[in-house]
Amino acid sequence: MKIGSNLGVPPRIVVLTGAGVSADSGHPTFRGEGGIWEGRRVEEVATPEAWSSEPALVWRFYQERRQRLAEKEPNPAHMALAGMEERLSDAGVGFCLITQNVDDLHRRAGSAPIHIHGELEVLRCEICGEKVRDLEHLDPEVFVPCPECSHKAMRPDVVWFGEMPYQVEDVFRQVGNATLFLAAGTSGVVYPAAGLLQLARDGGARTFVNSLDEPENLSGEDEFFPGRAAEVLPELCDRLAQELGA
Ligand code: OAD
């Protein structure tokens, strides 16, 4: 696994993915249908306040999602991005993949993304900071204790509403240095991720956008490729790799 392999080298292309890229694998998007769970909005469950007042409810919500990871497979969009990374790497061209998705599909396709909103398969201890990659303990009714300090319940290592995304400084630096920027499958409404497109434009990058619907942050300067990521990205990634000489 190439965790962090995309850090430290000034990239030529930076890709930002959102829920739309995993939609073709069967993961529901946030702003489409299915935003209600047990009569509650996702925004009510995915918060530090909910975890502190109703931990059993929040845990059940995330354990159900963690269980479902194994049922999904990477789709041609994930594969196209992993293939482009390999091609660019062989040609010595920088590449950085940033994802807002908390599923493991990019990783299973062979990529090493920066997970700015965390990862469902990782658990984190709020007391000692220990992190474990764990998809074995999936019982919705049983908390997982911390193996380091024995705190009784680790939390999912995902960024909740009101929390700061991960590696924001790295991400801003990568996007600021991009010559090409591609945003795929994201509605462009959740900041700071939604601001990356403008940051790339400000840095002089050519900007490409794929989504089913026009994202909120789309501008006339962007080249927009409407459609399903699984259909659009294989051809688009091929074209971008060629433009970068790979
Ligand atoms: P959204 O659900 O807001 O947006 C999904 C986008 O994908 C929309 O623009 C759809 O048009 C598009 N889309 C749907 N199906 C698609 C497909 N098959 N191919 C291409 N595009 C498709 O998801 P995000 O923008 O990822 O944050 O949401 C951003 C953040 O909001 C999430 O990471 C999450 C949520 O709050 C946290 O949990 C912190």
Side-chain angles (χ1 to χ4, degrees):
M1 190 165 45
K2 299 175 287 180
I3 291 265
S5 65
N6 47 12
L7 297 179
V9 186
R12 298 285 301 283
I13 177 160
V14 177
V15 180
L16 171 70
T17 62
V21 166
S22 292
D24 290 321
S25 295
H27 282 302
T29 59
F30 288 89
R31 286 161 188 84
E33 292 166 18
I36 303 283
W37 177 78
E38 294 196 2
R40 299 174 192 243
R41 295 180 51 202
V42 171
E43 289 85 345
E44 292 173 48
V45 185
T47 65
E49 292 76 22
W51 175 240
S52 106
S53 62
E54 296 185 88
L57 173 105
V58 174
W59 185 240
R60 204 162 69 240
F61 175 79
Y62 280 98
Q63 287 292 73
E64 285 180 10
R65 269 141 200 82
R66 282 158 45 77
Q67 280 172 359
R68 259 180 255 146
L69 287 175
E71 296 164 12
K72 314 291 182 197
E73 294 298 329
N75 68 55
H78 300 103
M79 302 311 293
L81 290 167
M84 176 163 72
E85 175 171 6
E86 202 170 341
R87 215 164 129 184
L88 293 175
S89 153
D90 289 346
V93 178
F95 175 91
C96 174
L97 178 60
I98 300 161
T99 189
Q100 299 166 87
N101 298 340
V102 294
D103 64 54
D104 55 359
L105 295 175
H106 280 306
R107 195 170 66 75
R108 284 166 55 202
S111 298
I114 298 177
H115 278 273
I116 53 173
H117 291 165
E119 292 176 79
L120 273 177
E121 64 181 306
V122 178
L123 301 177
R124 170 162 62 89
C125 176
E126 287 180 308
I127 304 302
C128 73
E130 176 76 358
K131 289 192 185 196
V132 289
R133 212 170 267 282
D134 175 340
L135 282 181
E136 279 169 33
H137 300 93
L138 295 173
D139 188 333
E141 308 300 332
V142 181
F143 290 119
V144 176
C146 174
E148 189 62 29
C149 74
S150 302
H151 175 57
K152 68 178 186 344
M154 296 185 98
R155 62 167 274 180
D157 190 31
V158 300
V159 173
W160 282 328
F161 291 97
E163 295 183 325
M164 195 59 179
Y166 289 138
Q167 291 183 254
V168 171
E169 281 180 20
D170 279 336
V171 162
F172 284 170
R173 185 170 48 82
Q174 299 276 0
V175 174
N177 286 329
T179 48
L180 291 186
F181 180 82
L182 165 64
T186 175
S187 55
V189 298
V190 176
Y191 284 80
L196 297 178
L197 188 55
Q198 183 60 45
L199 184 63
R201 289 185 208 115
D202 291 345
R206 284 178 59 203
T207 48
F208 299 81
V209 175
N210 157 247
S211 184
L212 268 189
D213 315 297
E214 283 197 8
E216 291 276 317
N217 57 354
L218 190 72
S219 116
E221 295 164 58
D222 308 320
E223 289 188 48
F224 182 49
F225 295 81
R228 308 188 76 85
E231 288 164 8
V232 171
L233 289 196
E235 201 177 315
L236 182 55
C237 288
D238 181 48
R239 176 181 147 192
L240 296 180
Q242 277 185 38
E243 288 200 17
L244 290 163

